[in-house]
Amino acid sequence: MDRIFSGVQPSGNMTLGNYLGAIRNWVKLQDDYESIFCVVDMHAITVWQDPDDLRRATREVAAGMLAAGVDPKKNIIFNQSNVSAHAELGWVLNCVARLGWLNRMTQFKEKAGKHKENASCGLYVYPNLMAADILLYKATHVPVGDDQKQHLELARDIAQKFNNDFGKEVFPLPDPMIFGTATRVMSLRDGSKKMSKSDPSEYARIGMTDDADAIAKKIRKAKTDPHPIPDNVDGFEDRLEAKNLMNIYGALNDMKLEDVCAEYGGQSFADFKKALTDLAVAKLSPISEEMKRYMDDPAQIDAILRDGAERANAIAQPVLDEVKDVVGFLRP
Ligand code: TRP
């Protein structure tokens, strides 16, 4: 059976973007693949995280997966730092990847901003650790958002160079499973930016634990334009915010964008926003209630993460041992 690996960072609160863009898709994949889902806490600390917030966010990501329907018995759910092989393989891959490759990574440039000199070294080698995550399980498929495509190509390059350098087919080249733009959720304030946990504006995102009032308020305040809703998908030119809201509607309701256009075309945004609010509340509230139930019982989450780490380690350790042997590390 093919094996999936994917990860979500525990930095800030889970958003609708994490749900529609990642976790919801994982729920659909879990019957057809052996799946490993990781809360990537080591990636999170590439930028500053308050330790208490990190603990809380790690549990919240796990709670989000569980509440959305990821089955922890069928799949492996764990936090990255709990399987030390990630750090160990990460180091070996730091020595395989080339500076020139990392210098091309657009996400580093975005995250480091103008003050590159002040970025952590971890942020720079972030893609190498991500490659380690995937290769440690010899994953064949990696479901990720559009924005992670470049990192995944790098993971393939690293796998290939490792295999070439040592003359052994240790790592299969992982295939990306990129979900369509329909699941790419953008900021409610700026339709050209991804909806992000770390956006300074609360109004840019809908949180997975937002209550009905918060959801209503954020959708009401979401940026739109003065025109009516377009009645076909060609009507979105320069209307990124309109497209985003309609995409969200379609994703939540399992509808194609063109069908959303057909249904709401010509109406005002005020009416459409009411419909979107009702839909978002209806779809998210059962999940957010379940998340709260988990968050009230951190011991239960911790037990699931512990069990997941044990099972992940059972797969990872033999691969790490193989890597050590291939590289020439003694294991006396
Ligand atoms: N970089 C990914 C993101 O920010 C998270 C991630 C870390 C990941 N390791 C991974 C995703 C391995 C897929 C596979 O979305």
Side-chain angles (χ1 to χ4, degrees):
M1 199 186 210
D2 287 336
R3 184 181 283 158
I4 276 180
F5 185 99
S6 197
V8 172
Q9 289 197 51
S11 48
N13 297 319
M14 298 276 279
T15 70
L16 184 63
N18 297 120
Y19 176 61
L20 292 177
I23 295 175
R24 191 180 67 141
N25 302 309
W26 299 356
V27 177
K28 296 179 185 161
L29 294 168
Q30 62 185 348
D31 295 328
D32 301 326
Y33 294 87
E34 180 189 351
S35 304
I36 303 171
F37 299 122
C38 187
V39 189
V40 290
D41 47 7
M42 289 160 66
H43 278 108
I45 64 161
T46 56
V47 298
W48 170 253
Q49 304 294 332
D50 173 83
D52 285 331
D53 290 346
L54 181 61
R55 275 183 276 272
R56 210 210 89 261
T58 300
R59 291 191 179 112
E60 189 181 290
V61 172
M65 294 179 192
L66 295 165
V70 178
D71 180 346
K73 297 227 160 60
K74 223 188 294 177
N75 311 286
I76 294 177
I77 298 179
F78 75 110
N79 60 311
Q80 189 184 27
S81 62
N82 230 354
V83 175
S84 57
H86 289 253
E88 294 180 67
L89 181 60
W91 179 257
V92 174
L93 300 187
N94 281 343
C95 302
V96 174
R98 306 287 97 183
L99 283 182
W101 300 358
L102 291 182
N103 285 339
R104 287 197 285 274
M105 295 295 115
T106 54
Q107 188 165 301
F108 174 79
K109 289 178 202 162
E110 277 161 29
K111 286 200 182 176
K114 286 191 205 92
H115 306 291
K116 240 173 39 199
E117 304 292 314
N118 269 335
S120 75
C121 299
L123 188 65
Y124 190 65
V125 293
Y126 177 118
N128 297 345
L129 180 61
M130 180 163 160
D133 295 342
I134 298 163
L135 301 179
L136 193 52
Y137 301 92
K138 301 193 176 187
T140 52
H141 294 81
V142 184
V144 283
D146 220 23
D147 62 313
Q148 295 299 310
K149 219 163 146 179
Q150 194 185 31
H151 286 161
L152 214 68
E153 275 156 22
L154 185 88
R156 290 170 62 92
D157 290 343
I158 292 175
Q160 193 147 38
K161 178 161 166 54
F162 183 97
N163 292 346
N164 279 345
D165 285 354
F166 295 101
K168 262 195 145 161
E169 291 301 307
V170 176
F171 297 122
L173 303 192
D175 280 323
M177 295 172 100
I178 309 276
F179 297 107
T181 49
T183 54
R184 180 126 199 249
V185 181
M186 312 305 282
S187 159
L188 300 181
R189 309 296 305 168
D190 176 352
S192 69
K193 282 198 332 210
K194 181 171 143 172
M195 181 180 284
S196 160
K197 308 180 189 90
S198 48
D199 196 305
S201 168
E202 259 299 312
Y203 284 98
R205 59 178 162 267
I206 293 174
M208 274 181 82
T209 53
D210 281 357
D211 60 22
D213 282 349
I215 293 175
K217 208 158 153 193
K218 290 175 180 182
I219 293 179
R220 205 172 337 113
K221 293 203 175 218
K223 191 174 164 203
T224 51
D225 56 50
H227 308 292
I229 303 275
D231 58 10
N232 69 74
V233 288
D234 299 325
F236 286 119
E237 212 164 321
D238 297 326
R239 301 186 69 186
L240 294 177
E241 286 79 17
K243 184 173 183 187
N244 184 40
L245 291 179
M246 294 176 72
N247 252 336
I248 293 174
Y249 189 99
L252 283 171
N253 217 19
D254 277 316
M255 266 169 93
K256 287 206 193 92
L257 185 57
E258 56 201 67
D259 297 331
V260 183
C261 291
E263 192 165 333
Y264 289 96
Q267 293 194 22
S268 72
F269 273 105
D271 291 338
F272 175 72
K273 280 181 164 183
K274 282 200 196 90
L276 178 58
T277 301
D278 291 344
L279 178 65
V281 169
K283 295 284 179 174
L284 285 182
S285 60
I287 298 175
S288 74
E289 270 159 36
E290 186 70 359
M291 275 177 82
K292 282 184 195 126
R293 202 186 58 68
Y294 276 110
M295 290 302 276
D296 286 341
D297 187 3
Q300 190 191 3
I301 299 177
D302 293 359
I304 289 170
L305 290 174
R306 204 177 314 117
D307 171 67
E310 261 170 44
R311 288 156 57 211
N313 193 57
I315 303 173
Q317 194 57 48
V319 177
L320 184 66
D321 287 345
E322 183 187 357
V323 167
K324 287 183 171 181
D325 291 342
V326 167
V327 168
F329 291 165
L330 280 178
R331 294 192 292 123

